[in-house]
């Protein structure tokens, strides 16, 4: 079975990821603290940000697409509300894969706990917003 996916919802979720990241890491929100904790020099040129932004667009699309597919599979299994299936799926995938892996890698790399917490919180917010958008616009037929 190939899960049904609403690609318009996936594109909106991808865009939402870019918006959340832009707000989250702006200097007035968490950007300055993140740069200090991650030892990142924010004075680089806009040209140096091109590949990270392109990478983020691609990865955000893949994340939204996988979340949409996993949400459809979860909905078929549990039935009920597609919206709830999307949000619960996002939180479970975040906890089991994203947060768990960040915590493990950051512990071995000796990264500050504050940085790990900030990054996994960003991922949680990103995935929940993606899930809301995917859940509000389920694929046709669901």
């Amino acid at each position: 079975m190939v899960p049904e996916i609403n690609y318009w919802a996936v594109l909106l979720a991808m865009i939402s990821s870019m918006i959340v990241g832009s707000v989250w890491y702006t200097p007035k929100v968490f950007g300055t603290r993140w740069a200090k904790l991650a030892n990142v020099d924010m004075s680089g040129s806009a040209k140096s940000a091109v590949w990270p932004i392109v990478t983020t667009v691609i990865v955000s699309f893949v994340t939204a697409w996988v979340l949409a597919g996993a949400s459809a599979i979860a909905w078929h299994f549990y039935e009920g509300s597609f919206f709830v299936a999307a949000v619960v799926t996002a939180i479970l995938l975040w906890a089991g894969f994203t947060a768990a892996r960040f915590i493990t890698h950051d512990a071995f790399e000796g990264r500050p706990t504050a940085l790990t917490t900030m990054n996994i919180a960003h991922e949680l917010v990103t995935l929940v917003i993606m899930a809301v958008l995917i859940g509000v616009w389920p694929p046709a037929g669901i």
Side-chain angles (χ1 to χ4, degrees), residues 13-23 52-54 56-57 60 126:
M14 178 194 75
I15 292 167
S16 78
S17 172
M18 305 301 293
I19 293 169
V20 169
S22 296
V23 171
I53 290 171
V54 168
T56 301
V57 169
S60 294
T126 299

Side-chain angles (χ1 to χ4, degrees), residues 58-69:
I58 294 166
V59 170
S60 294
F61 177 82
V62 170
T63 300
W65 179 69
V66 168
L67 179 57

Side-chain angles (χ1 to χ4, degrees), residues 55-88:
T55 301
T56 301
V57 169
I58 294 166
V59 170
S60 294
F61 177 82
V62 170
T63 300
W65 179 69
V66 168
L67 179 57
S71 297
I73 292 167
W75 177 80
H76 281 290
F77 185 78
Y78 294 111
E79 298 178 340
S81 165
F82 186 80
F83 178 83
V84 171
V87 172
V88 169

